[in-house]
Amino acid sequence: MNDSNRLLGLITMAAGAAVLLLCRSIETIPDTRTLSAVFFPELLAFLLLLCGAGLALMGGGKSLTSVAAKIFQPANFCLAAFTLLYACSFGFGDYRLSTPVYVAASMWVLGVRNPARLILVPVLSTVVMYGLFRYGFTILLPTLF
Amino acid sequence: MELTSLNDILAGISALCSVEVFLWSAIGVIVGFIFGAAPGLTATAGVAIATPLTFGVSFEQSMSLLLGIYCGGYFAGSIPAILVNTPGAPGNAATTVDGYPMARQGRADLAFVLAVIGSFIGGVLSGLALLLLAPMLSSMALMFTAVEYAAFGIFGLVCVAAISGGSIMRGYIAATMGMLLGTVGIDPVDGVIRLTLDIPDLLTGVPLIPALIAFFAISEMLNQSGAGALHELPPQSRTSIAEAMGCFLRRKWGTFKSALIGMGIGILPGTGPTIASWISYSEMARIKADDEPPLGEGAPRGVIASEVSNNAVTGGAMVPLLTLGIPGDTVTAVLLGALMIQNIAPGPLFILEHGDLFVLIVGILMLSNVWLLVFGLGMRSFLPKLLKIPMPVLLPLIGVFAATGCFADGNTAFPVLLMGVLGVAGYYLSCLGLPMPPLVLGLVLGPIIEKNLRDALTVHRMDVTVFATRPISAVILAITLVTMALALHKSRKKP
């Protein structure tokens, strides 16, 4: 399997099958006089299975080696991981701490080595964003103290 | 117009020609720019926040401020859409499809000028329609039932062919995934829980703004970082207004059609700029244009379609508000409250009893669009400075901007988490060739199609022939089928 369409087709089929399974847990109201709540998700899941199978059979697309090289490129992989961690931090962390750490770490993995830039950009961006949202739009960003 | 006397017109114009109206309207447009350009904050939020401030001011001041925010907010979402591939509001999502590629080709200035002038044209044309045709248009809107809404939603899917990035099959898979995301949460008809994976935060469904930010901003941010050497945006060329006007003249019919679509959809209660911009975009795709790149690859007509129609919604949405007392979109729903604060009850007798206020409202809408043009074009000189930020600095800042905007959308952490998960998943799927714009389109249209389809079948006792027997729906569905068949035929002919 050396083409992206085939893999995307298989992922689509798996997603369709998973949704079909999940649809079994959707309650249906007996004697309803319209389409039931499960009709639309089931229809879409079948469409996914069908289109996924079509794409998998058709093949073609990019080579999987080039796709893997892009996804697992260290800077790219780290930025994705940092972004997920940063997104999680909104649930329990302090915006004023997590934001400069995220910006500095991301800049570092993207190749910035200038110490002044690595300190000033994260601090200034945090101050500006926090000030704008907290005092401009009166939105209480997550803080611990 | 027969409902508005000459006296009312003169009284309205006289109220309009005051310094305070000009000033409050200018302030409103600037505030609207800020709310529209910040992802997660929309014109609706801006108008909602400003409405309580209007308790102590006159009708003229109140409407000037709120309508200024309305017009400015609907336009300003195009600024981050063009510069960083992040629509400031859902109504500007279609602008990213061509606006951002234009920035990557060094034509951000042209895209920006097209967005400003397009928004102005859309806003002014819809204001004129409001002034001249309001009573007639509102009676037309009442002819639309769930059958026509469902048909309209299905028609919106025609757009998938234009934004699939080369493969219609992958485009339809993406749209189907988007529609599936739209089914998550409590079913609006039966009230049962669907596909929430036992996550309570998903009971209200997948919120649109975090999903938009995830699929456009986060996915593009990761795409840029994965491009090996980080490509800076190329030096940007300055555009003359004449060049931009040339684009509009070459696409005059497309521009006019986009304005008509925006107005038409604005008139329909419960719709808004998001669906208007996508439908206009798909209509623009049907216009042959050999002198421009294909849509999705930096075509000026893509920006024109989206921006003309989303601002044309403003005048359209005021029609049912003022003539029936029914809001046409979310902002006009808040405006209804603002009118009540001023002891004004919009409805069938509004134009008859308050002709002067009606003329004043239309005038303020027009004035706001003039401010939009003046401030929008004045902002152009700041663009090159923004675009000079190096990518390794800009990408993390986009992440912060996106996450903070998502938090602001619901004031909870869940939308931010959802943005992270959907963004990373969307990026990996886009690496395999799955286009993101159809996914967002599916998420927008899926709930509209499903709810109206089920409502229509309930009302007509499961008689599916109703879609063919009602004339408006039959025509819309026939156009949909023909357009889809043509798109499939075209894609098969491609080597």
Side-chain angles (χ1 to χ4, degrees):
Chain A
M1 191 171 68
N2 57 0
D3 47 37
S4 61
N5 273 355
R6 219 172 285 270
L7 181 59
L8 184 61
L10 291 175
I11 292 173
T12 306
M13 286 174 70
V19 174
L20 270 183
L21 273 178
L22 284 171
C23 283
R24 293 171 65 181
S25 64
I26 297 175
E27 264 182 80
T28 47
I29 295 174
D31 300 328
T32 183
R33 289 185 180 187
T34 185
L35 299 170
S36 72
V38 78
F39 172 80
F40 208 59
E42 256 181 7
L43 174 77
L44 295 172
F46 274 118
L47 274 176
L48 278 187
L49 274 174
L50 204 71
C51 292
L55 199 64
L57 287 174
M58 209 165 69
K62 303 172 200 166
S63 100
L64 283 184
T65 324
S66 71
V67 172
K70 188 176 176 184
I71 289 174
F72 295 110
Q73 193 209 354
N76 188 236
F77 192 76
C78 286
L79 186 63
F82 290 166
T83 305
L84 270 177
L85 280 174
Y86 178 57
C88 291
S89 77
F90 276 71
F92 57 84
D94 190 315
Y95 183 85
R96 295 163 300 182
L97 298 176
S98 58
T99 301
V101 170
Y102 167 71
V103 175
S106 302
M107 282 170 61
W108 174 267
V109 298
L110 292 172
V112 178
R113 294 292 181 268
N114 181 333
R117 201 174 254 193
L118 277 170
I119 294 168
L120 278 178
V121 174
V123 171
L124 281 178
S125 57
T126 307
V127 169
V128 170
M129 290 298 282
Y130 186 78
L132 179 70
F133 278 81
R134 173 67 186 85
Y135 300 105
F137 301 132
T138 57
I139 285 161
L140 296 171
L141 292 165
T143 52
L144 292 177
F145 48 88
Chain B
M1 196 64 189
E2 74 252 20
L3 294 173
T4 315
S5 69
L6 189 62
N7 265 348
D8 290 336
I9 295 172
L10 290 175
I13 292 173
S14 144
L16 183 70
C17 296
S18 70
V19 177
E20 62 179 25
V21 167
F22 274 66
L23 199 68
W24 281 88
S25 169
I27 293 170
V29 171
I30 293 169
V31 174
F33 275 15
I34 296 168
F35 274 89
L41 294 168
T42 57
T44 313
V47 173
I49 290 170
T51 297
L53 306 176
T54 63
F55 267 107
V57 300
S58 67
F59 178 82
E60 291 85 350
Q61 292 168 335
S62 160
M63 284 298 112
S64 303
L65 177 72
L66 300 178
L67 292 176
I69 298 175
Y70 189 16
C71 294
Y74 270 21
F75 151 74
S78 65
I79 302 169
I82 292 166
L83 298 184
V84 288
N85 202 34
T86 308
N92 305 95
T95 308
T96 58
V97 182
D98 284 285
Y100 184 64
M102 284 178 78
R104 295 211 63 78
Q105 294 160 8
R107 297 187 299 153
D109 191 45
L110 175 62
F112 187 72
V113 174
L114 290 176
V116 174
I117 299 176
S119 299
F120 172 75
I121 292 173
V124 168
L125 285 179
S126 73
L128 283 175
L130 172 65
L131 181 68
L132 302 173
L133 306 169
M136 193 189 81
L137 291 176
S138 63
S139 59
M140 264 177 64
L142 288 178
M143 286 161 62
F144 270 68
T145 64
V147 178
E148 284 76 23
Y149 279 109
F152 240 121
I154 294 166
F155 177 67
L157 287 177
V158 169
C159 186
V160 169
I163 54 175
S164 293
S167 163
I168 289 194
M169 178 75 96
R170 288 197 298 255
Y172 279 112
I173 287 176
T176 310
M177 285 182 176
M179 285 196 278
L180 257 175
L181 281 178
T183 63
V184 173
I186 296 177
D187 166 41
V189 179
D190 286 349
V192 298
I193 296 168
R194 300 190 299 187
L195 311 175
T196 57
L197 305 170
D198 291 329
I199 301 169
D201 288 292
L202 283 177
L203 285 174
T204 50
V206 174
L208 186 58
I209 288 177
L212 266 180
I213 292 176
F215 294 132
F216 283 119
I218 301 299
S219 162
E220 178 60 25
M221 179 185 92
L222 295 174
N223 187 38
Q224 287 299 322
S225 77
L230 287 171
H231 299 296
E232 309 295 325
L233 286 174
Q236 301 289 320
S237 58
R238 182 92 173 164
T239 305
S240 66
I241 304 291
E243 187 187 344
M245 288 312 293
C247 289
F248 281 102
L249 285 176
R250 277 196 300 278
R251 306 278 165 257
K252 50 185 177 297
W253 172 232
T255 304
F256 186 63
K257 200 151 76 164
S258 300
L260 279 182
I261 291 170
M263 277 183 271
I265 288 176
I267 290 166
L268 302 177
T271 54
T274 313
I275 183 165
S277 56
W278 284 115
I279 289 182
S280 298
Y281 191 88
S282 71
E283 275 303 292
M284 194 60 105
R286 300 201 304 136
I287 294 175
K288 206 167 182 296
D290 296 329
D291 53 341
E292 277 186 15
L295 278 178
E297 294 176 20
R301 65 189 188 281
V303 176
I304 291 175
S306 169
E307 286 305 312
V308 170
S309 66
N310 71 26
N311 266 62
V313 166
T314 53
M318 297 294 288
V319 172
L321 174 73
L322 297 180
T323 57
L324 303 171
I326 302 168
D329 62 1
T330 48
V331 181
T332 44
V334 185
L335 279 176
L336 184 63
L339 285 168
M340 284 170 174
I341 289 175
Q342 301 291 334
N343 282 324
I344 302 288
L349 297 177
F350 174 74
I351 301 178
L352 199 65
E353 290 174 352
H354 303 285
D356 54 337
L357 300 186
F358 173 68
V359 174
L360 178 65
I361 286 174
V362 177
I364 292 172
L365 209 58
M366 300 283 201
L367 179 65
S368 301
N369 281 293
V370 173
W371 282 129
L372 184 158
L373 186 73
V374 172
F375 293 143
L377 293 178
M379 276 167 54
R380 287 169 68 200
S381 47
F382 295 108
L383 283 184
K385 291 183 183 77
L386 269 174
L387 293 170
K388 271 184 186 160
I389 300 174
M391 275 292 176
V393 175
L394 185 63
L395 294 182
L397 293 183
I398 291 175
V400 172
F401 201 42
T404 316
C406 283
F407 185 85
D409 180 45
N411 262 317
T412 59
F414 182 73
V416 190
L417 184 62
L418 194 68
M419 174 212 76
V421 173
L422 290 180
V424 172
Y427 165 64
Y428 290 144
L429 286 173
S430 73
C431 286
L432 291 172
L434 195 80
M436 290 297 108
L439 211 154
V440 171
L441 185 72
L443 183 59
V444 172
L445 293 179
I448 296 173
I449 296 172
E450 188 196 8
K451 185 182 178 300
N452 288 297
L453 189 70
R454 291 170 70 189
D455 283 351
L457 290 175
T458 309
V459 172
H460 296 279
R461 298 172 184 228
M462 296 299 280
D463 177 15
V464 285
T465 59
V466 70
F467 290 97
T469 52
R470 286 184 67 94
I472 299 176
S473 140
V475 169
I476 296 171
L477 288 178
I479 296 172
T480 307
L481 281 176
V482 171
T483 317
M484 278 183 168
L486 282 175
L488 271 175
H489 178 67
K490 239 165 103 181
S491 76
R492 277 188 173 185
K493 271 171 68 180
K494 269 187 189 170

